[in-house]
Amino acid sequence: TEIESPFVIKCDVHAWMKAYVSVFNHPYFSVTDDSGRYKIDNIPPGKYEVVAWHERDIKRMGYTQTKTIEIVKGDSVLDFSLTKGEKKK
C-alpha cells in the first residue's frame, strides 16, 4: 500500500492554529497521547510495517520512521523515538 503524505489545514489569521490530516485505506492508526504513547487495537496476527510521522523535521517537511512488527496472540509492543528539528528562526 502506498503511503499518502499528510496535508495541512491552517488558519490564515492565527499561525499556530493548524492540523495535519492523513487518509488511510485501513482502520489501523493512532495519535499519541500527551505523554507520547499510542495504542492500536484489534490488529489481526501477521507481519506489518508501521510508520510513525512527526510534523516537524529540520526541513519542516515531516519526518517518518518505519519499523516492522509481527503480531501474535496477546499484546505486542513497538517503540519509536522521534526527535523534532530546531525551531525556525
Side-chain angles (χ1 to χ4, degrees), residues 49-54 63-67 79-83:
E49 187 175 79
V50 181
V51 179
W53 180 84
H54 191 284
Y63 170 79
T64 60
Q65 190 177 105
T66 303
K67 293 187 178 185
D79 292 325
F80 287 91
S81 180
L82 301 176
T83 51

Side-chain angles (χ1 to χ4, degrees), residues 33-56:
D33 63 18
D34 290 341
S35 63
R37 291 184 169 82
Y38 73 98
K39 184 175 182 178
I40 304 172
D41 292 319
N42 304 316
I43 301 172
K47 192 172 185 178
Y48 297 94
E49 187 175 79
V50 181
V51 179
W53 180 84
H54 191 284
E55 69 183 78
R56 189 170 80 211

Side-chain angles (χ1 to χ4, degrees), residues 56-70:
R56 189 170 80 211
D57 67 356
I58 293 171
K59 295 180 183 176
R60 303 182 77 71
M61 299 288 289
Y63 170 79
T64 60
Q65 190 177 105
T66 303
K67 293 187 178 185
T68 301
I69 187 170
E70 186 160 358

